[in-house]
């Protein structure tokens, strides 16, 4: 058995870090042409073995946690930010229990209450934030302008704190909490992933911010004790849970899980919302279909809208396909890493038979899955780089056509299409990952994004700035963001 082919590079240690860092997808597609679906590249001294395609996703994300460890890959990045005794700072079976506790807080009952809270927050934001001045002035013929990512990051944190994070966090958002959040966020970057500890001010600010934020949550939890506060939020849910051995969560564990959820949900949702809004601004036809769907389901005869319910939200095919398609082309996370704990054999084509396993990925390597690649693979999708929400809702549309090709080549059937996205580890579409580390925030993200987009589209029309092309991906941030300029023009819809 041999090692997988190593990507050619000029500079030892640094390896392919620059090419990968600037454009990971371009790098992966090029390497695939040269080396096939399995290859190793050097990333600042680390050996990273990439496994591409649906079978590569399956190899990495479906791999046993005794072979491939998420905590060994991520703890140096996450523990200084989230804190001790949660997520990747504990053995995997303990974290799996913690994920179950979080699921209790993500209940349908809670979601029912959240839709109108989110709607209210978005409306309030539009009525008060200076980015929406034209909207506030009630002049339907004047266009205003905002930066898509700026407003989305604010709306995301406002709506997440009003719902999941709870009243105390929402009330403090305009005050100390947002500075703490910004300082903590400054310690959650690709640099922190590559270099666990550097004597830099941002690392110090991260550590100070973590301590203050942890104390802030612990204080909230203590104050809630002795009151009969059964708030429909995550702190309430976590306070009611017990580990299998009967132990309740300690205050600092609840605090640190809350920080982890804040970080996990913020950039992922706000980036997706920004991309979706940019595409709607670029594709007036899709925007009008989305608006008409709102009118059809919720429009009153006087041109106003009634409130949405969670159940209704879940049955809006156009809104759903707008988010689904946005996550296909712009999944917030382009690389999912695991640390290899024991030698693992793999075939160059990632096919099953053991005798074909000619490569060995040795202990000490990292493995990397990139569902972002299979989500725009021309072998699987027609017009993969075109944002086309109807591919999800039209049974005769491009997704169906492309998928026939995919099935023909591989000779296997995969559950696919609107409302039937495979949760299996070998699906080509996995914006929320797969396997034991799969995202538990998916339903919340759909609810949050759906409500935000619907509320905005009900009130304003959006367009890209004339003369500006659609923004490219910025891969230098932890979560793939639109590069600037990413301005959107808007005007109030006529009632
Ligand atoms: C895991 C994507 C929103 C909480 C993941 C993973 C992905 C992902 C790809 C797998 C990571 C891995 O395997 O290493 C997304 C996207 C989101 C989103 C695209 C929004 C559009 C959220 C939200 C929350 C959340 C809102 C919390 C409320 C988590 C948690 C995990 C996770 C707890 C588990 C990590 C693990 O088991 O190792 N997410 N996420 N995510 N996400 Fe999300």
């Amino acid at each position: 058995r041999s090692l997988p082919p190593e990507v050619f590079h000029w500079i030892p240690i640094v390896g392919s870090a620059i090419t990968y860092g600037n454009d990971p997808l371009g790098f992966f597609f090029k390497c695939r042409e040269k080396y096939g679906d399995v290859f190793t590249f050097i990333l600042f001294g680390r050996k990273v073995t990439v496994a591409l395609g649906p079978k590569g996703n399956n190899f990495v994300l479906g791999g046993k946690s005794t072979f491939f460890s998420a905590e060994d890959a991520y703890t140096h990045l996450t523990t200084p930010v989230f804190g001790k005794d949660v997520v990747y700072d504990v053995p995997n079976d303990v974290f799996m229990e913690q994920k179950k506790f979080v699921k209790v807080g993500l209940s349908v009952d809670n979601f029912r209450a959240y839709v109108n809270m989110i709607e209210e927050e978005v409306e309030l934001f539009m009525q008060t934030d200076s980015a929406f001045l034209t909207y506030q002035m009630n002049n339907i013929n004047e266009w205003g302008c905002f930066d898509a990512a700026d407003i989305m990051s604010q709306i995301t944190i406002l709506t997440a704190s009003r719902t999941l994070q709870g009243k105390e966090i929402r009330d403090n958002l305009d005050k100390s909490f947002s500075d703490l959040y910004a300082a903590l966020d400054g310690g959650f970057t690709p640099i922190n992933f590559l270099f666990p500890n550097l004597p830099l001010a941002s690392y110090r600010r991260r550590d100070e911010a973590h301590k203050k934020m942890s104390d802030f949550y612990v204080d909230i939890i203590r104050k809630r004790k002795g009151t009969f506060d059964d708030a429909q939020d995550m702190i309430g849910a976590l306070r009611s849970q017990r580990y299998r051995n009967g132990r309740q969560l300690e205050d600092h564990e609840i605090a640190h899980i809350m920080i982890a959820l804040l970080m996990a949900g913020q950039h992922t949702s706000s980036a997706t919302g920004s991309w979706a809004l940019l595409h709607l601004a670029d594709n007036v036809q899709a925007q009008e279909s989305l608006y008409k769907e709102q009118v059809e389901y919720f429009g009153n005869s006087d041109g106003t809208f009634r409130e949405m319910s969670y159940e209704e939200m879940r049955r809006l095919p156009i809104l759903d396909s707008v988010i689904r398609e946005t996550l296909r082309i712009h999944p917030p996370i382009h690389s999912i890493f695991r640390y290899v704990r024991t030698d693992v054999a793999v075939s160059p084509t990632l096919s099953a038979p053991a005798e074909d396993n000619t490569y060995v990925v040795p202990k000490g390597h990292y493995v990397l899955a990139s569902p972002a690649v299979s989500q725009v693979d021309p072998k699987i999708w027609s017009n993969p780089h075109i944002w086309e929400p109807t591919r999800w809702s039209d049974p005769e549309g491009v997704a169906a056509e492309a998928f026939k090709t995919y099935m023909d080549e591989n000779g296997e059937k995969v559950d696919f299409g609107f409302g039937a996205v495979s949760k299996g580890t070998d699906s080509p579409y996995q914006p929320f990952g797969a396997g034991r580390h799969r995202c538990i925030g998916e339903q919340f993200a759909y609810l949050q994004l759906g409500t935000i987009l619907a509320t905005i589209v009900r009130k304003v029309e959006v367009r890209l700035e004339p003369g500006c092309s659609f923004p490219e991906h910025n891969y230098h941030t932890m979560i793939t963001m639109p590069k600037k300029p990413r301005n959107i023009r808007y005007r109030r819809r006529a009632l």
Side-chain angles (χ1 to χ4, degrees):
R1 282 183 186 156
S2 60
L3 294 173
E6 192 169 293
V7 176
F8 176 80
H9 54 274
W10 293 101
I11 317 171
I13 312 274
V14 175
S16 310
I18 310 295
T19 339
Y20 164 72
N22 284 336
D23 179 10
L25 263 66
F27 173 70
F28 292 150
F29 274 112
K30 268 212 182 102
C31 290
R32 184 172 81 171
E33 264 171 38
K34 209 162 168 190
Y35 306 105
D37 278 334
V38 184
F39 52 87
T40 301
F41 74 98
I42 309 295
L43 178 66
F44 287 115
R46 295 176 176 83
K47 295 202 171 207
V48 183
T49 296
V50 180
L52 294 178
K55 289 195 165 66
N57 299 343
N58 181 46
F59 172 66
V60 175
L61 305 179
K64 286 194 181 139
S65 63
T66 40
F67 296 174
F68 295 154
S69 158
E71 56 272 30
D72 292 356
Y74 295 138
T75 188
H76 63 279
L77 167 77
T78 56
T79 303
V81 176
F82 304 167
K84 302 294 285 174
D85 298 331
V86 302
V87 188
Y88 305 125
D89 190 48
V90 289
N92 187 254
D93 55 324
V94 178
F95 176 39
M96 291 300 129
E97 281 200 73
Q98 294 174 344
K99 272 177 97 168
K100 284 204 190 105
F101 302 154
V102 173
K103 278 193 192 156
V104 174
L106 297 168
S107 66
V108 170
D109 257 0
N110 284 2
F111 287 173
R112 286 199 185 107
Y114 291 170
V115 180
N116 300 133
M117 292 180 179
I118 296 174
E119 222 174 316
E120 252 177 54
E121 284 292 336
V122 179
E123 283 180 2
L124 188 68
F125 182 82
M126 292 177 76
Q127 280 159 20
T128 51
D129 192 84
S130 58
F132 279 100
L133 270 187
T134 308
Y135 172 77
Q136 292 149 25
M137 285 190 285
N138 206 6
N139 181 348
I140 63 162
N141 290 316
E142 201 179 324
W143 290 86
C145 182
F146 57 72
D147 177 299
D150 280 358
I151 69 128
M152 268 302 165
S153 74
Q154 294 182 63
I155 292 178
T156 307
I157 199 162
L158 284 165
T159 50
S161 45
R162 173 76 186 275
T163 53
L164 280 189
Q165 291 282 325
K167 185 177 179 318
E168 300 91 332
I169 299 292
R170 174 64 190 88
D171 290 347
N172 274 282
L173 257 196
D174 311 328
K175 306 173 204 152
S176 47
F177 190 82
S178 26
D179 292 342
L180 282 182
Y181 171 73
L184 204 56
D185 198 41
F188 201 63
T189 72
I191 302 292
N192 298 86
F193 176 69
L194 292 170
F195 308 104
N197 270 308
L198 291 178
L200 294 180
S202 64
Y203 285 66
R204 261 198 321 279
R205 277 200 298 272
R206 170 196 72 186
D207 295 343
E208 285 163 16
H210 166 73
K211 171 86 183 64
K212 285 190 188 152
M213 198 180 260
S214 173
D215 292 347
F216 188 79
Y217 277 104
V218 166
D219 193 48
I220 295 173
I221 298 158
R222 298 219 168 117
K223 282 191 181 134
R224 281 196 187 188
K225 283 180 192 165
T227 69
F228 290 96
D229 184 13
D230 62 349
Q232 272 177 315
D233 60 28
M234 191 56 77
I235 294 182
L238 294 176
R239 284 184 55 208
S240 69
Q241 300 301 301
R242 282 171 192 275
Y243 286 102
R244 270 197 296 268
N245 63 10
R247 178 171 80 73
Q248 275 191 310
L249 278 81
E250 290 187 29
D251 295 350
H252 78 276
E253 290 172 317
I254 298 181
H256 296 171
I257 291 176
M258 293 305 294
I259 300 176
L261 295 177
L262 182 72
M263 302 304 287
Q266 176 59 22
H267 291 301
T268 43
S269 285
S270 90
T272 310
S274 312
W275 286 114
L277 213 51
L278 285 159
H279 276 297
L280 289 170
D282 191 33
N283 185 331
V284 178
Q285 203 184 345
Q287 187 185 150
E288 286 315 296
S289 316
L290 183 60
Y291 177 71
K292 281 197 190 114
E293 185 179 66
Q294 286 296 308
V295 175
E296 189 186 321
Y297 282 78
F298 309 106
N300 296 322
S301 53
D302 62 354
T304 58
F305 290 89
R306 67 176 176 81
E307 287 181 341
M308 293 178 271
S309 74
Y310 177 60
E311 273 71 17
E312 286 169 320
M313 272 265 319
R314 290 174 41 131
R315 284 196 294 271
L316 299 173
I318 298 178
L319 183 59
D320 182 282
S321 58
V322 162
I323 301 172
R324 203 170 290 273
E325 179 69 345
T326 302
L327 284 167
R328 184 182 68 79
I329 309 191
H330 312 286
I333 298 172
H334 60 72
S335 298
I336 300 179
F337 289 86
R338 302 283 182 263
Y339 181 76
V340 182
R341 282 185 169 173
T342 175
D343 294 1
V344 177
V346 61
S347 109
T349 57
L350 293 149
S351 56
E355 59 271 22
D356 193 23
N357 286 348
T358 54
Y359 291 161
V360 64
V361 186
K363 179 179 171 189
H365 272 211
Y366 291 77
V367 281
L368 185 159
S370 181
V373 167
S374 52
Q375 290 179 190
V376 292
D377 187 344
K379 288 190 210 158
I380 299 174
W381 311 83
S382 59
N383 302 321
H385 294 286
I386 308 281
W387 185 82
E388 183 50 89
T390 55
R391 73 169 79 231
W392 295 100
S393 45
D394 175 1
E396 298 303 316
V398 279
E401 198 44 52
F403 214 63
K404 272 182 223 148
T405 324
Y406 173 65
M407 284 197 286
D408 287 347
E409 270 183 14
N410 292 277
E412 50 184 59
K413 183 170 163 20
V414 185
D415 193 12
F416 207 58
F418 178 67
V421 172
S422 165
K423 295 216 165 170
T425 46
D426 61 357
S427 165
Y429 181 79
Q430 301 187 340
F432 294 94
R436 65 195 294 114
H437 288 284
R438 195 181 193 286
C439 186
I440 48 175
E442 175 175 2
Q443 281 79 15
F444 178 78
Y446 262 80
L447 157 74
Q448 184 185 29
L449 286 165
T451 314
I452 294 172
L453 292 173
T455 311
I456 295 178
V457 165
R458 281 176 177 194
K459 295 182 180 305
V460 292
E461 287 175 69
V462 287
R463 299 279 186 280
L464 285 189
E465 282 237 274
C468 279
S469 48
F470 195 82
E472 291 183 6
H473 290 113
N474 175 6
Y475 293 110
H476 291 167
T477 40
M478 203 72 181
I479 294 297
T480 311
M481 293 294 293
K483 274 190 188 160
K484 284 185 179 176
R486 48 199 180 191
N487 293 338
I488 288 185
R489 295 198 320 138
Y490 70 90
R491 78 173 167 188
R492 181 184 266 273
R493 273 189 192 274
L495 271 187

